[in-house]
Amino acid sequence: MRHAHTVDQIRSAEAALMATLPDGALMARAAAGLAAALVDHLGGTYGRRVLLVVGSGDNGGDALYAGARLARRGAQVSAVMVSDHAHPEGLAALTAAGGRVVDVVPSDLDVVVDAIVGIGGRPGLSQAAHHALEAVAGVPVVAVDVPSGVDVDTGETPGPHVSADLTITFGTHKVAHLVEPAASACGAVHLVDLDLDLPAATVTALQPDDVRRLLPLPAADAHKYTRGVVGVRAGSAAYPGAALLCVSGAASGLVGMVRYVGPDETAARVSATHPEVVGDGRVQAWVVGPGTDFDAAAALQAALADGVPTVVDADALAHVTGPVASPLVLTPHAGELSKMIGVDRDEIEASPLRHVRAAAQQYDAVVLLKGRHTLVAAPDGQVRVTTTGVPWLATAGAGDVLAGLVGALLAAGLDPFDAASVGSWLHGAAATLASGGGPIVAGDVAAALPDVVRLLMT
């Protein structure tokens, strides 16, 4: 599991560790890790031209000490100060190693190191920092801990901020590394371990081992009913394809049986494409909403009448007005969530973590907010971030496949939070596998799901 801790949690853990170490030892660890990651990024040191953009505090100190290490190995290291309070010992170490402080930005740089503000900084950039970054536009940027200017604990970017190609962070991931829009500003993220003793995090991201552990596998004596039965209420005369795609996500092999309930003509098409799918009957979970059009309210009412866990997607979301007796997974995109909680779409996209948590509390349900980094929130505030997937996944019908997949995992026995987060991870991984770097359609994602599971289990 990838854990994203808050600034207060990190500060507390750092203070506890520093109490057991000699003065400066923790910064030395961070600087050594930063220098090593920069060497790897640059592909060497000798003759490389490095510019440090340095603010005040320990973040700047980390960069200055790292710069001294690079200078001793033959790099040409310059530093631009954007604060009157640069770390004095770090500055002395840099100049002693042959680095220099400059007022004019050198040309032909190989990399710019953003050490303007660290995790204690406020969102936004000072005028001096903004000018320094303008002077190096187009040069690859490596951020120290987080890109300067982002909100570390929320992932929001309310003002000007650095957009990095690589972020080298220390001790643990931060919320801004996982949650959009700040996550996009981080580029690739490299973690330097500092051996911090950290508490549990409320924002996490599943990794392959976690998904492997959570996947419901058939027992040696399993039969189709013990593996779970999922029902799908989807599609309409206007949108029969939504039913086919939702069923394809549900019928990916992770559940013992799929039942389909919908218009006769659509049911015939589902049966022709998926002959293993049967009609109405008892289920352990329902999926309702994709393509249901004007029948959405009735389909939702029928599904909820069974009292089993239910995935509510697409058209049916508009008919959920508050908490219900059945455990729910609600799967909106930002536009749908906007209507559900009465907040402008732009606000949701600027602050997705805050709003998905608010929705989970309002509806007393697990809410899966689809996006570049999908967020799955539980009513208690726990959030899992999906980091699998590719931009090609932004294609019509992909959400229908996801709804069916999450419903299958519910029917197979996962609780709503696990079903939503595992389903989202598998969905993204299947898109990556199917894409191979090129375009895909939603059906490709469903077809790749068995192969993703197979690869995961080997």
Side-chain angles (χ1 to χ4, degrees), residues 157-171:
T157 56
H161 60 86
V162 170
S163 290
D165 299 277
L166 170 67
T167 296
I168 300 167
T169 195
F170 310 110

Side-chain angles (χ1 to χ4, degrees), residues 184-212:
S184 290
C186 294
V189 178
H190 174 80
L191 178 64
V192 175
D193 186 21
L194 297 181
D195 199 26
L196 298 178
D197 184 11
L198 290 155
T202 58
V203 177
T204 57
L206 294 176
Q207 301 301 293
D209 284 348
D210 304 308
V211 177
R212 187 181 300 114

Side-chain angles (χ1 to χ4, degrees), residues 52-56 79-86 101-102 114-117 125-133 148:
L52 314 176
V53 184
V54 181
S56 60
V80 170
M81 302 297 159
V82 295
S83 168
D84 295 330
H85 305 287
V101 177
V102 299
D114 161 30
I116 300 167
V117 292
L125 294 173
S126 68
Q127 189 173 30
H130 187 70
H131 287 327
L133 292 168
S148 296

Side-chain angles (χ1 to χ4, degrees), residues 40-115:
D40 185 63
H41 177 71
L42 290 165
T45 52
Y46 188 80
R48 303 299 197 275
R49 298 172 66 87
V50 179
L51 178 68
L52 314 176
V53 184
V54 181
S56 60
D58 291 348
N59 183 263
D62 294 337
L64 290 166
Y65 278 118
R69 287 173 173 265
L70 298 179
R72 288 195 294 269
R73 295 180 60 176
Q76 300 176 41
V77 183
S78 304
V80 170
M81 302 297 159
V82 295
S83 168
D84 295 330
H85 305 287
H87 193 279
E89 294 83 4
L91 188 57
L94 176 68
T95 56
R100 60 196 182 106
V101 177
V102 299
D103 294 319
V104 178
V105 173
S107 59
D108 299 325
L109 293 167
D110 293 300
V111 71
V112 172
V113 178
D114 161 30

